[in-house]
Amino acid sequence: MEEKLLSFSPVLPEKPKVLILGSMPGGMSLTKSEYYGNPRNHFWAIMFELFHEQPTRDYEEKIKLIKRNGIALWDTIGSCYRKGSLDASIRDEETNDIEGLLRGNPSIKLIACNGTKSYQTFTKNFPVEKRTNVNVVKMPSTSPIPGRYTKTFEGKVEEWSKILDYL
């Protein structure tokens, strides 16, 4: 029998301005208990590029980087069943309490969904009328799956730079 997967608790700085939502951590991330724990995932490299900081492998330093810059991290899906790490394999998903997080953090003005699954899950479960004063954008996935996403690293950095307007 498949094991039910649980996402992580949110990473919340004081007065976050941007909330980045993934879908559900991949297998390697779950094993390491780290957001974007697959070293091939572009997420952390993009963040270091955006903030002109030297990359590090130290997870605590990565978390300090985003907190220092007013970014919160979480996932749209709180629990699900999934074979492997592909979003397409997710089933029986239950969403996280994003409404509650937004109520408790009114300083958030932008939700940046990391990829299609995150965006689709968010917009399906949190319709526009529930999102006053918060903009929502779909960002290119930072996933390391080769051949699946056509944007170059530089193209992803350019797209992700939109979050800087809210910080």
Side-chain angles (χ1 to χ4, degrees), residues 59-165:
Y59 185 65
E60 291 306 314
E61 290 301 315
K62 292 174 180 177
I63 296 301
K64 286 179 187 175
L65 168 78
I66 59 162
K67 283 184 167 185
R68 188 168 55 244
N69 286 287
I71 297 173
L73 287 181
W74 210 14
D75 291 299
T76 53
I77 300 169
S79 67
C80 69
Y81 293 88
R82 177 186 63 204
K83 187 173 183 171
S85 291
L86 293 177
D87 283 349
S89 300
I90 291 173
R91 60 185 178 75
D92 300 329
E93 62 197 57
E94 295 174 21
T95 58
N96 274 318
D97 182 16
I98 297 167
E99 285 181 75
L101 186 128
L102 293 173
R103 271 193 310 278
N105 295 276
S107 56
I108 294 173
K109 298 301 177 201
L110 175 71
I111 295 173
C113 294
N114 188 349
T116 300
K117 179 65 175 176
S118 171
Y119 183 77
Q120 288 174 340
T121 302
F122 180 80
T123 55
K124 174 183 162 193
N125 292 285
F126 304 97
V128 174
E129 58 272 9
K130 293 185 176 184
R131 296 186 255 136
T132 57
N133 300 322
V134 179
N135 292 324
V136 179
V137 295
K138 179 181 141 193
M139 304 305 288
S141 174
T142 61
S143 172
I145 300 169
R148 183 134 188 222
Y149 304 100
T150 56
K151 282 205 179 289
T152 63
F153 176 77
E154 292 76 18
K156 289 180 183 183
V157 170
E158 185 177 331
E159 286 289 314
W160 276 91
S161 70
K162 293 174 184 174
I163 69 171
L164 299 175
D165 295 338

